[in-house]
Amino acid sequence: MSAIVLESTITCPECGHPKLETMPSDACLWFYECEACHMLLRPKAGDCCVFCSYATVVCPPRQQSSKNCCGH
């Protein structure tokens, strides 16, 4: 089993602003506000969190299994 990655770059789909963030290790993040344009990001359909939708690395719970962290 490989190590869990906690840092991921999330990119706003509206303005393209990237930001390196530390993900929570035990929870989904359902909302994220872009610091540049203030758009409120929500997960895309079928994704459990904003990191799974808009970031370079999926969330830690999803890294640990093939399912979405909310059980889908």
Side-chain angles (χ1 to χ4, degrees), residues 1 4-6 23-29 48-49 51-52 57-71:
M1 185 171 172
I4 299 299
V5 177
L6 294 178
M23 298 181 280
S25 61
D26 60 351
C28 294
L29 188 62
C48 59
C49 69
F51 287 103
C52 290
V57 179
V58 297
C59 67
R62 191 164 182 191
Q63 290 178 51
Q64 292 176 322
S65 74
S66 61
K67 296 180 180 180
N68 285 346
C69 57
C70 58

Side-chain angles (χ1 to χ4, degrees), residues 5-40:
V5 177
L6 294 178
E7 289 191 334
S8 187
T9 299
I10 191 164
T11 302
C12 177
E14 181 71 19
C15 72
H17 178 75
K19 174 99 189 269
L20 182 65
E21 294 285 0
T22 301
M23 298 181 280
S25 61
D26 60 351
C28 294
L29 188 62
W30 294 311
F31 302 102
Y32 179 86
E33 183 178 352
C34 174
E35 69 177 13
C37 73
H38 302 287
M39 179 179 179
L40 186 62

